[in-house]
Amino acid sequence: MKYEAITIKDIAKALGLSTSTVSRALRGSYEISAETRKLVLEYAEKLNYRPNPIALSLKEKRSRSIGIVVCEIANNFFSQVINGIESVAYKKGYYVIISQSHESFEREVANTQYLASRSVDGLLISLSTETTDLSHLNKLHDKGLPIVFFDRITEEMTTHKVIANNFNGAYQATEHLIQNGFKRIAHLTISQHLSITKERLAGYKAALADHHLPYEESLVKYCKYGGLIGGETEEAVDSLLGLKKRPDAIVAASDKLSTGCLAALARRKVRVPEEMAIVGFTNSLLTDIFHPALTSVRQPAFEMGQVAMELLIDIIESKHPVTKFETKVLNTELTVRSSSKKA
């Protein structure tokens, strides 16, 4: 049975009033008597009447909804970002529509087109690992749809962006391992063209250089889908273990790569940290109960969501075209646990 929402016409018919009278009564218009207004409001409450959001959006030229595109909701980082977004959206009277690209360019395009067709007031997006062509976003932006990027951003579009200090996070992770006596440090990372990959790789390289350790291409392994595809992390770990001079530590650049690397080493009976230390970028709440507990670079995900949403609302509600944009950089936090301590 199809759900039929109660409409103003239904209330008007039941009470023997015109639809315009009911509409004015619901809005609290002074043109309607207190008696009639009370009658309409009590009947509307009894039937659980709610205004039609589509009709309201047409009237106000605003849907009060925000589209969100992330690669995967199950990812700890992105779920925390979404919580941050919703915390601001709810207070400001906006609702969110969440979609997942699953690291697919085609799905990202389909999701953004669908959200635009639903007349969202703005879009918050973190690019998929396959996305190199931004024409689908440029078209929407050129038509006036406010867009704010977070985490995985692009320099090809002029708008607000919110990121973590990826360079510093990777630098601190690598330097921590060096200071604990590890000399051959590998880097397990995502797709080469992503902004976060470039920033974290740069931080890793800088820490090696500052401590007079050579950078070796063979110690950097790219997992295009960040461990989302089965066997991807395992293959990268096997490649590192197969080197003639294998690494004694790994900096893993994402949630799934960090936990996946730890699991892959355990399956191969490689002792952590005695034979291989690990520091990972992860926002998992379970890092303390991993075996061993995982040293982690934590991103300010919740705050990132809040800031991105606030910036988007600023664009949406601005009475004048916004021409000045900024990239907000939020600090990461390194928490040392047993996975990176030299025996």
Side-chain angles (χ1 to χ4, degrees), residues 154-190:
T154 176
E155 296 303 322
E156 293 182 35
M157 289 177 63
T158 305
T159 185
H160 291 308
K161 295 150 193 173
V162 186
I163 61 172
N165 194 334
N166 294 299
F167 177 94
N168 195 52
Y171 186 101
Q172 286 184 326
T174 308
E175 184 175 62
H176 162 70
L177 289 167
I178 295 168
Q179 290 173 341
N180 275 266
F182 299 99
K183 301 297 183 185
R184 284 184 60 75
I185 301 167
H187 187 44
L188 198 58
T189 189
I190 323 174

PDB file of all heavy atoms in Angstrom, residues 154-190:
ATOM      1  N   THR A 154      40.727  19.127  -4.690  1.00  0.00           N
ATOM      2  CA  THR A 154      41.325  19.419  -5.991  1.00  0.00           C
ATOM      3  C   THR A 154      41.693  20.891  -6.051  1.00  0.00           C
ATOM      4  O   THR A 154      41.028  21.729  -5.445  1.00  0.00           O
ATOM      5  CB  THR A 154      40.354  19.094  -7.132  1.00  0.00           C
ATOM      6  OG1 THR A 154      40.949  19.476  -8.383  1.00  0.00           O
ATOM      7  CG2 THR A 154      39.035  19.847  -6.986  1.00  0.00           C
ATOM      8  N   GLU A 155      42.747  21.184  -6.797  1.00  0.00           N
ATOM      9  CA  GLU A 155      43.143  22.580  -7.008  1.00  0.00           C
ATOM     10  C   GLU A 155      42.507  23.143  -8.278  1.00  0.00           C
ATOM     11  O   GLU A 155      42.689  24.324  -8.587  1.00  0.00           O
ATOM     12  CB  GLU A 155      44.671  22.685  -7.092  1.00  0.00           C
ATOM     13  CG  GLU A 155      45.385  22.283  -5.801  1.00  0.00           C
ATOM     14  CD  GLU A 155      44.935  23.086  -4.602  1.00  0.00           C
ATOM     15  OE1 GLU A 155      44.699  24.299  -4.752  1.00  0.00           O
ATOM     16  OE2 GLU A 155      44.812  22.503  -3.508  1.00  0.00           O
ATOM     17  N   GLU A 156      41.768  22.310  -8.998  1.00  0.00           N
ATOM     18  CA  GLU A 156      41.183  22.730 -10.277  1.00  0.00           C
ATOM     19  C   GLU A 156      39.915  23.558 -10.117  1.00  0.00           C
ATOM     20  O   GLU A 156      39.452  24.165 -11.078  1.00  0.00           O
ATOM     21  CB  GLU A 156      40.878  21.505 -11.145  1.00  0.00           C
ATOM     22  CG  GLU A 156      42.119  20.762 -11.616  1.00  0.00           C
ATOM     23  CD  GLU A 156      41.774  19.581 -12.502  1.00  0.00           C
ATOM     24  OE1 GLU A 156      40.795  19.673 -13.262  1.00  0.00           O
ATOM     25  OE2 GLU A 156      42.471  18.550 -12.414  1.00  0.00           O
ATOM     26  N   MET A 157      39.323  23.558  -8.921  1.00  0.00           N
ATOM     27  CA  MET A 157      38.100  24.326  -8.697  1.00  0.00           C
ATOM     28  C   MET A 157      38.307  25.326  -7.568  1.00  0.00           C
ATOM     29  O   MET A 157      38.902  24.999  -6.544  1.00  0.00           O
ATOM     30  CB  MET A 157      36.926  23.391  -8.371  1.00  0.00           C
ATOM     31  CG  MET A 157      36.468  22.584  -9.567  1.00  0.00           C
ATOM     32  SD  MET A 157      35.128  21.423  -9.171  1.00  0.00           S
ATOM     33  CE  MET A 157      33.841  22.560  -8.674  1.00  0.00           C
ATOM     34  N   THR A 158      37.797  26.534  -7.757  1.00  0.00           N
ATOM     35  CA  THR A 158      37.956  27.595  -6.774  1.00  0.00           C
ATOM     36  C   THR A 158      36.743  27.609  -5.852  1.00  0.00           C
ATOM     37  O   THR A 158      35.666  28.077  -6.220  1.00  0.00           O
ATOM     38  CB  THR A 158      38.104  28.970  -7.467  1.00  0.00           C
ATOM     39  OG1 THR A 158      39.188  28.908  -8.395  1.00  0.00           O
ATOM     40  CG2 THR A 158      38.364  30.062  -6.451  1.00  0.00           C
ATOM     41  N   THR A 159      36.942  27.076  -4.669  1.00  0.00           N
ATOM     42  CA  THR A 159      35.896  27.052  -3.650  1.00  0.00           C
ATOM     43  C   THR A 159      36.552  26.745  -2.307  1.00  0.00           C
ATOM     44  O   THR A 159      37.771  26.584  -2.224  1.00  0.00           O
ATOM     45  CB  THR A 159      34.823  26.004  -3.989  1.00  0.00           C
ATOM     46  OG1 THR A 159      33.760  26.101  -3.029  1.00  0.00           O
ATOM     47  CG2 THR A 159      35.385  24.580  -3.970  1.00  0.00           C
ATOM     48  N   HIS A 160      35.750  26.671  -1.250  1.00  0.00           N
ATOM     49  CA  HIS A 160      36.298  26.328   0.062  1.00  0.00           C
ATOM     50  C   HIS A 160      36.733  24.863   0.090  1.00  0.00           C
ATOM     51  O   HIS A 160      36.100  23.991  -0.523  1.00  0.00           O
ATOM     52  CB  HIS A 160      35.251  26.545   1.156  1.00  0.00           C
ATOM     53  CG  HIS A 160      34.900  27.974   1.407  1.00  0.00           C
ATOM     54  ND1 HIS A 160      35.853  28.939   1.654  1.00  0.00           N
ATOM     55  CD2 HIS A 160      33.696  28.608   1.463  1.00  0.00           C
ATOM     56  CE1 HIS A 160      35.257  30.100   1.862  1.00  0.00           C
ATOM     57  NE2 HIS A 160      33.948  29.924   1.744  1.00  0.00           N
ATOM     58  N   LYS A 161      37.803  24.590   0.869  1.00  0.00           N
ATOM     59  CA  LYS A 161      38.296  23.225   1.050  1.00  0.00           C
ATOM     60  C   LYS A 161      38.724  23.043   2.503  1.00  0.00           C
ATOM     61  O   LYS A 161      39.223  23.987   3.116  1.00  0.00           O
ATOM     62  CB  LYS A 161      39.494  22.952   0.122  1.00  0.00           C
ATOM     63  CG  LYS A 161      39.119  22.988  -1.357  1.00  0.00           C
ATOM     64  CD  LYS A 161      40.246  23.445  -2.240  1.00  0.00           C
ATOM     65  CE  LYS A 161      39.734  23.758  -3.639  1.00  0.00           C
ATOM     66  NZ  LYS A 161      40.758  24.355  -4.496  1.00  0.00           N
ATOM     67  N   VAL A 162      38.524  21.833   3.013  1.00  0.00           N
ATOM     68  CA  VAL A 162      38.899  21.536   4.394  1.00  0.00           C
ATOM     69  C   VAL A 162      39.707  20.246   4.406  1.00  0.00           C
ATOM     70  O   VAL A 162      39.250  19.210   3.915  1.00  0.00           O
ATOM     71  CB  VAL A 162      37.652  21.369   5.304  1.00  0.00           C
ATOM     72  CG1 VAL A 162      38.085  21.205   6.760  1.00  0.00           C
ATOM     73  CG2 VAL A 162      36.708  22.553   5.170  1.00  0.00           C
ATOM     74  N   ILE A 163      40.922  20.320   4.955  1.00  0.00           N
ATOM     75  CA  ILE A 163      41.806  19.149   4.978  1.00  0.00           C
ATOM     76  C   ILE A 163      42.482  19.021   6.333  1.00  0.00           C
ATOM     77  O   ILE A 163      42.492  19.954   7.135  1.00  0.00           O
ATOM     78  CB  ILE A 163      42.889  19.229   3.882  1.00  0.00           C
ATOM     79  CG1 ILE A 163      43.787  20.463   4.092  1.00  0.00           C
ATOM     80  CG2 ILE A 163      42.268  19.243   2.500  1.00  0.00           C
ATOM     81  CD1 ILE A 163      44.992  20.533   3.174  1.00  0.00           C
ATOM     82  N   ALA A 164      43.047  17.843   6.567  1.00  0.00           N
ATOM     83  CA  ALA A 164      43.933  17.654   7.719  1.00  0.00           C
ATOM     84  C   ALA A 164      45.348  18.031   7.278  1.00  0.00           C
ATOM     85  O   ALA A 164      45.644  18.094   6.083  1.00  0.00           O
ATOM     86  CB  ALA A 164      43.891  16.202   8.174  1.00  0.00           C
ATOM     87  N   ASN A 165      46.215  18.277   8.250  1.00  0.00           N
ATOM     88  CA  ASN A 165      47.616  18.573   7.931  1.00  0.00           C
ATOM     89  C   ASN A 165      48.320  17.247   7.627  1.00  0.00           C
ATOM     90  O   ASN A 165      49.035  16.695   8.466  1.00  0.00           O
ATOM     91  CB  ASN A 165      48.295  19.305   9.088  1.00  0.00           C
ATOM     92  CG  ASN A 165      49.618  19.908   8.674  1.00  0.00           C
ATOM     93  OD1 ASN A 165      50.273  19.424   7.745  1.00  0.00           O
ATOM     94  ND2 ASN A 165      50.031  20.966   9.357  1.00  0.00           N
ATOM     95  N   ASN A 166      48.081  16.745   6.423  1.00  0.00           N
ATOM     96  CA  ASN A 166      48.581  15.431   6.021  1.00  0.00           C
ATOM     97  C   ASN A 166      50.100  15.376   5.981  1.00  0.00           C
ATOM     98  O   ASN A 166      50.703  14.357   6.348  1.00  0.00           O
ATOM     99  CB  ASN A 166      48.002  15.060   4.652  1.00  0.00           C
ATOM    100  CG  ASN A 166      46.512  14.852   4.713  1.00  0.00           C
ATOM    101  OD1 ASN A 166      46.021  13.979   5.413  1.00  0.00           O
ATOM    102  ND2 ASN A 166      45.766  15.666   3.971  1.00  0.00           N
ATOM    103  N   PHE A 167      50.705  16.461   5.521  1.00  0.00           N
ATOM    104  CA  PHE A 167      52.168  16.519   5.467  1.00  0.00           C
ATOM    105  C   PHE A 167      52.746  16.322   6.863  1.00  0.00           C
ATOM    106  O   PHE A 167      53.617  15.473   7.082  1.00  0.00           O
ATOM    107  CB  PHE A 167      52.627  17.863   4.886  1.00  0.00           C
ATOM    108  CG  PHE A 167      54.127  18.040   4.851  1.00  0.00           C
ATOM    109  CD1 PHE A 167      54.841  17.722   3.712  1.00  0.00           C
ATOM    110  CD2 PHE A 167      54.824  18.506   5.966  1.00  0.00           C
ATOM    111  CE1 PHE A 167      56.235  17.867   3.678  1.00  0.00           C
ATOM    112  CE2 PHE A 167      56.197  18.660   5.949  1.00  0.00           C
ATOM    113  CZ  PHE A 167      56.907  18.336   4.794  1.00  0.00           C
ATOM    114  N   ASN A 168      52.251  17.086   7.804  1.00  0.00           N
ATOM    115  CA  ASN A 168      52.783  17.023   9.165  1.00  0.00           C
ATOM    116  C   ASN A 168      52.486  15.681   9.833  1.00  0.00           C
ATOM    117  O   ASN A 168      53.316  15.140  10.571  1.00  0.00           O
ATOM    118  CB  ASN A 168      52.211  18.164  10.008  1.00  0.00           C
ATOM    119  CG  ASN A 168      52.975  18.382  11.291  1.00  0.00           C
ATOM    120  OD1 ASN A 168      54.193  18.518  11.282  1.00  0.00           O
ATOM    121  ND2 ASN A 168      52.262  18.384  12.418  1.00  0.00           N
ATOM    122  N   GLY A 169      51.306  15.135   9.560  1.00  0.00           N
ATOM    123  CA  GLY A 169      50.948  13.836  10.123  1.00  0.00           C
ATOM    124  C   GLY A 169      51.900  12.744   9.681  1.00  0.00           C
ATOM    125  O   GLY A 169      52.382  11.942  10.496  1.00  0.00           O
ATOM    126  N   ALA A 170      52.208  12.709   8.378  1.00  0.00           N
ATOM    127  CA  ALA A 170      53.132  11.705   7.850  1.00  0.00           C
ATOM    128  C   ALA A 170      54.558  11.966   8.313  1.00  0.00           C
ATOM    129  O   ALA A 170      55.325  11.031   8.579  1.00  0.00           O
ATOM    130  CB  ALA A 170      53.066  11.689   6.324  1.00  0.00           C
ATOM    131  N   TYR A 171      54.920  13.242   8.402  1.00  0.00           N
ATOM    132  CA  TYR A 171      56.256  13.600   8.882  1.00  0.00           C
ATOM    133  C   TYR A 171      56.456  13.101  10.308  1.00  0.00           C
ATOM    134  O   TYR A 171      57.468  12.460  10.629  1.00  0.00           O
ATOM    135  CB  TYR A 171      56.448  15.125   8.812  1.00  0.00           C
ATOM    136  CG  TYR A 171      57.859  15.583   9.147  1.00  0.00           C
ATOM    137  CD1 TYR A 171      58.751  15.915   8.132  1.00  0.00           C
ATOM    138  CD2 TYR A 171      58.309  15.662  10.470  1.00  0.00           C
ATOM    139  CE1 TYR A 171      60.043  16.325   8.420  1.00  0.00           C
ATOM    140  CE2 TYR A 171      59.596  16.064  10.773  1.00  0.00           C
ATOM    141  CZ  TYR A 171      60.468  16.394   9.745  1.00  0.00           C
ATOM    142  OH  TYR A 171      61.754  16.791  10.030  1.00  0.00           O
ATOM    143  N   GLN A 172      55.493  13.380  11.175  1.00  0.00           N
ATOM    144  CA  GLN A 172      55.597  12.964  12.579  1.00  0.00           C
ATOM    145  C   GLN A 172      55.643  11.441  12.714  1.00  0.00           C
ATOM    146  O   GLN A 172      56.411  10.913  13.525  1.00  0.00           O
ATOM    147  CB  GLN A 172      54.403  13.507  13.374  1.00  0.00           C
ATOM    148  CG  GLN A 172      54.469  14.996  13.653  1.00  0.00           C
ATOM    149  CD  GLN A 172      53.322  15.465  14.524  1.00  0.00           C
ATOM    150  OE1 GLN A 172      52.209  14.948  14.447  1.00  0.00           O
ATOM    151  NE2 GLN A 172      53.585  16.443  15.368  1.00  0.00           N
ATOM    152  N   ALA A 173      54.822  10.751  11.906  1.00  0.00           N
ATOM    153  CA  ALA A 173      54.801   9.285  11.961  1.00  0.00           C
ATOM    154  C   ALA A 173      56.155   8.710  11.575  1.00  0.00           C
ATOM    155  O   ALA A 173      56.692   7.808  12.241  1.00  0.00           O
ATOM    156  CB  ALA A 173      53.710   8.758  11.028  1.00  0.00           C
ATOM    157  N   THR A 174      56.726   9.235  10.495  1.00  0.00           N
ATOM    158  CA  THR A 174      58.013   8.746  10.007  1.00  0.00           C
ATOM    159  C   THR A 174      59.138   9.106  10.971  1.00  0.00           C
ATOM    160  O   THR A 174      59.999   8.267  11.292  1.00  0.00           O
ATOM    161  CB  THR A 174      58.308   9.345   8.612  1.00  0.00           C
ATOM    162  OG1 THR A 174      57.187   9.123   7.749  1.00  0.00           O
ATOM    163  CG2 THR A 174      59.551   8.716   7.999  1.00  0.00           C
ATOM    164  N   GLU A 175      59.126  10.332  11.459  1.00  0.00           N
ATOM    165  CA  GLU A 175      60.163  10.773  12.397  1.00  0.00           C
ATOM    166  C   GLU A 175      60.105   9.964  13.695  1.00  0.00           C
ATOM    167  O   GLU A 175      61.146   9.613  14.266  1.00  0.00           O
ATOM    168  CB  GLU A 175      60.006  12.254  12.699  1.00  0.00           C
ATOM    169  CG  GLU A 175      61.115  12.799  13.606  1.00  0.00           C
ATOM    170  CD  GLU A 175      61.025  14.299  13.805  1.00  0.00           C
ATOM    171  OE1 GLU A 175      59.997  14.741  14.358  1.00  0.00           O
ATOM    172  OE2 GLU A 175      61.953  15.014  13.401  1.00  0.00           O
ATOM    173  N   HIS A 176      58.905   9.657  14.148  1.00  0.00           N
ATOM    174  CA  HIS A 176      58.753   8.845  15.361  1.00  0.00           C
ATOM    175  C   HIS A 176      59.429   7.482  15.195  1.00  0.00           C
ATOM    176  O   HIS A 176      60.135   7.013  16.096  1.00  0.00           O
ATOM    177  CB  HIS A 176      57.266   8.659  15.674  1.00  0.00           C
ATOM    178  CG  HIS A 176      56.980   7.529  16.605  1.00  0.00           C
ATOM    179  ND1 HIS A 176      57.310   7.556  17.950  1.00  0.00           N
ATOM    180  CD2 HIS A 176      56.425   6.306  16.383  1.00  0.00           C
ATOM    181  CE1 HIS A 176      56.963   6.412  18.512  1.00  0.00           C
ATOM    182  NE2 HIS A 176      56.423   5.634  17.587  1.00  0.00           N
ATOM    183  N   LEU A 177      59.238   6.861  14.045  1.00  0.00           N
ATOM    184  CA  LEU A 177      59.870   5.564  13.778  1.00  0.00           C
ATOM    185  C   LEU A 177      61.392   5.688  13.734  1.00  0.00           C
ATOM    186  O   LEU A 177      62.121   4.848  14.271  1.00  0.00           O
ATOM    187  CB  LEU A 177      59.338   4.980  12.464  1.00  0.00           C
ATOM    188  CG  LEU A 177      57.891   4.479  12.501  1.00  0.00           C
ATOM    189  CD1 LEU A 177      57.378   4.219  11.091  1.00  0.00           C
ATOM    190  CD2 LEU A 177      57.773   3.217  13.353  1.00  0.00           C
ATOM    191  N   ILE A 178      61.881   6.748  13.095  1.00  0.00           N
ATOM    192  CA  ILE A 178      63.336   6.980  13.011  1.00  0.00           C
ATOM    193  C   ILE A 178      63.921   7.150  14.403  1.00  0.00           C
ATOM    194  O   ILE A 178      64.961   6.573  14.746  1.00  0.00           O
ATOM    195  CB  ILE A 178      63.641   8.216  12.131  1.00  0.00           C
ATOM    196  CG1 ILE A 178      63.213   7.958  10.681  1.00  0.00           C
ATOM    197  CG2 ILE A 178      65.126   8.570  12.198  1.00  0.00           C
ATOM    198  CD1 ILE A 178      63.205   9.207   9.804  1.00  0.00           C
ATOM    199  N   GLN A 179      63.237   7.953  15.218  1.00  0.00           N
ATOM    200  CA  GLN A 179      63.728   8.206  16.579  1.00  0.00           C
ATOM    201  C   GLN A 179      63.682   6.966  17.455  1.00  0.00           C
ATOM    202  O   GLN A 179      64.362   6.899  18.477  1.00  0.00           O
ATOM    203  CB  GLN A 179      62.908   9.336  17.217  1.00  0.00           C
ATOM    204  CG  GLN A 179      63.186  10.696  16.577  1.00  0.00           C
ATOM    205  CD  GLN A 179      62.264  11.788  17.075  1.00  0.00           C
ATOM    206  OE1 GLN A 179      61.193  11.510  17.635  1.00  0.00           O
ATOM    207  NE2 GLN A 179      62.648  13.035  16.870  1.00  0.00           N
ATOM    208  N   ASN A 180      62.890   5.978  17.051  1.00  0.00           N
ATOM    209  CA  ASN A 180      62.824   4.709  17.784  1.00  0.00           C
ATOM    210  C   ASN A 180      63.775   3.665  17.205  1.00  0.00           C
ATOM    211  O   ASN A 180      63.682   2.483  17.541  1.00  0.00           O
ATOM    212  CB  ASN A 180      61.391   4.189  17.814  1.00  0.00           C
ATOM    213  CG  ASN A 180      60.592   4.782  18.954  1.00  0.00           C
ATOM    214  OD1 ASN A 180      60.491   4.203  20.028  1.00  0.00           O
ATOM    215  ND2 ASN A 180      60.033   5.966  18.725  1.00  0.00           N
ATOM    216  N   GLY A 181      64.646   4.102  16.292  1.00  0.00           N
ATOM    217  CA  GLY A 181      65.706   3.229  15.810  1.00  0.00           C
ATOM    218  C   GLY A 181      65.438   2.480  14.516  1.00  0.00           C
ATOM    219  O   GLY A 181      66.256   1.668  14.083  1.00  0.00           O
ATOM    220  N   PHE A 182      64.320   2.762  13.858  1.00  0.00           N
ATOM    221  CA  PHE A 182      64.010   2.081  12.589  1.00  0.00           C
ATOM    222  C   PHE A 182      64.645   2.854  11.433  1.00  0.00           C
ATOM    223  O   PHE A 182      64.607   4.083  11.392  1.00  0.00           O
ATOM    224  CB  PHE A 182      62.496   1.952  12.411  1.00  0.00           C
ATOM    225  CG  PHE A 182      61.849   1.132  13.498  1.00  0.00           C
ATOM    226  CD1 PHE A 182      61.224   1.747  14.583  1.00  0.00           C
ATOM    227  CD2 PHE A 182      61.890  -0.254  13.457  1.00  0.00           C
ATOM    228  CE1 PHE A 182      60.644   1.000  15.598  1.00  0.00           C
ATOM    229  CE2 PHE A 182      61.313  -1.014  14.472  1.00  0.00           C
ATOM    230  CZ  PHE A 182      60.695  -0.388  15.543  1.00  0.00           C
ATOM    231  N   LYS A 183      65.244   2.121  10.495  1.00  0.00           N
ATOM    232  CA  LYS A 183      66.026   2.753   9.432  1.00  0.00           C
ATOM    233  C   LYS A 183      65.449   2.565   8.025  1.00  0.00           C
ATOM    234  O   LYS A 183      65.601   3.417   7.171  1.00  0.00           O
ATOM    235  CB  LYS A 183      67.458   2.198   9.448  1.00  0.00           C
ATOM    236  CG  LYS A 183      68.214   2.423  10.760  1.00  0.00           C
ATOM    237  CD  LYS A 183      68.417   3.889  11.055  1.00  0.00           C
ATOM    238  CE  LYS A 183      69.236   4.109  12.329  1.00  0.00           C
ATOM    239  NZ  LYS A 183      69.325   5.550  12.663  1.00  0.00           N
ATOM    240  N   ARG A 184      64.838   1.421   7.788  1.00  0.00           N
ATOM    241  CA  ARG A 184      64.242   1.172   6.457  1.00  0.00           C
ATOM    242  C   ARG A 184      62.719   1.221   6.600  1.00  0.00           C
ATOM    243  O   ARG A 184      62.069   0.224   6.913  1.00  0.00           O
ATOM    244  CB  ARG A 184      64.691  -0.178   5.899  1.00  0.00           C
ATOM    245  CG  ARG A 184      66.125  -0.149   5.365  1.00  0.00           C
ATOM    246  CD  ARG A 184      66.519  -1.459   4.721  1.00  0.00           C
ATOM    247  NE  ARG A 184      65.694  -1.852   3.590  1.00  0.00           N
ATOM    248  CZ  ARG A 184      65.758  -1.313   2.370  1.00  0.00           C
ATOM    249  NH1 ARG A 184      66.617  -0.323   2.129  1.00  0.00           N
ATOM    250  NH2 ARG A 184      64.984  -1.740   1.395  1.00  0.00           N
ATOM    251  N   ILE A 185      62.193   2.399   6.353  1.00  0.00           N
ATOM    252  CA  ILE A 185      60.764   2.642   6.605  1.00  0.00           C
ATOM    253  C   ILE A 185      60.020   2.676   5.277  1.00  0.00           C
ATOM    254  O   ILE A 185      60.318   3.494   4.396  1.00  0.00           O
ATOM    255  CB  ILE A 185      60.569   3.955   7.376  1.00  0.00           C
ATOM    256  CG1 ILE A 185      61.336   3.885   8.706  1.00  0.00           C
ATOM    257  CG2 ILE A 185      59.086   4.229   7.617  1.00  0.00           C
ATOM    258  CD1 ILE A 185      61.464   5.222   9.407  1.00  0.00           C
ATOM    259  N   ALA A 186      59.054   1.786   5.141  1.00  0.00           N
ATOM    260  CA  ALA A 186      58.234   1.726   3.928  1.00  0.00           C
ATOM    261  C   ALA A 186      57.007   2.623   4.086  1.00  0.00           C
ATOM    262  O   ALA A 186      56.634   3.024   5.193  1.00  0.00           O
ATOM    263  CB  ALA A 186      57.803   0.288   3.662  1.00  0.00           C
ATOM    264  N   HIS A 187      56.381   2.933   2.954  1.00  0.00           N
ATOM    265  CA  HIS A 187      55.163   3.755   2.958  1.00  0.00           C
ATOM    266  C   HIS A 187      54.099   3.051   2.128  1.00  0.00           C
ATOM    267  O   HIS A 187      54.287   2.816   0.933  1.00  0.00           O
ATOM    268  CB  HIS A 187      55.469   5.133   2.386  1.00  0.00           C
ATOM    269  CG  HIS A 187      54.331   6.106   2.489  1.00  0.00           C
ATOM    270  ND1 HIS A 187      53.564   6.243   3.628  1.00  0.00           N
ATOM    271  CD2 HIS A 187      53.830   6.996   1.577  1.00  0.00           C
ATOM    272  CE1 HIS A 187      52.648   7.179   3.418  1.00  0.00           C
ATOM    273  NE2 HIS A 187      52.790   7.647   2.187  1.00  0.00           N
ATOM    274  N   LEU A 188      53.006   2.695   2.783  1.00  0.00           N
ATOM    275  CA  LEU A 188      51.878   2.031   2.129  1.00  0.00           C
ATOM    276  C   LEU A 188      50.789   3.077   1.958  1.00  0.00           C
ATOM    277  O   LEU A 188      50.276   3.626   2.937  1.00  0.00           O
ATOM    278  CB  LEU A 188      51.396   0.885   3.025  1.00  0.00           C
ATOM    279  CG  LEU A 188      50.535  -0.212   2.424  1.00  0.00           C
ATOM    280  CD1 LEU A 188      51.240  -0.887   1.262  1.00  0.00           C
ATOM    281  CD2 LEU A 188      50.188  -1.243   3.492  1.00  0.00           C
ATOM    282  N   THR A 189      50.426   3.372   0.690  1.00  0.00           N
ATOM    283  CA  THR A 189      49.540   4.513   0.471  1.00  0.00           C
ATOM    284  C   THR A 189      48.484   4.219  -0.604  1.00  0.00           C
ATOM    285  O   THR A 189      48.371   3.091  -1.082  1.00  0.00           O
ATOM    286  CB  THR A 189      50.368   5.767   0.132  1.00  0.00           C
ATOM    287  OG1 THR A 189      49.520   6.914   0.133  1.00  0.00           O
ATOM    288  CG2 THR A 189      51.079   5.632  -1.213  1.00  0.00           C
ATOM    289  N   ILE A 190      47.732   5.260  -0.966  1.00  0.00           N
ATOM    290  CA  ILE A 190      46.570   5.078  -1.845  1.00  0.00           C
ATOM    291  C   ILE A 190      46.932   5.473  -3.286  1.00  0.00           C
ATOM    292  O   ILE A 190      48.095   5.453  -3.665  1.00  0.00           O
ATOM    293  CB  ILE A 190      45.375   5.902  -1.315  1.00  0.00           C
ATOM    294  CG1 ILE A 190      45.348   5.884   0.224  1.00  0.00           C
ATOM    295  CG2 ILE A 190      44.045   5.354  -1.809  1.00  0.00           C
ATOM    296  CD1 ILE A 190      44.293   6.781   0.837  1.00  0.00           C
TER     297      ILE A 190
END
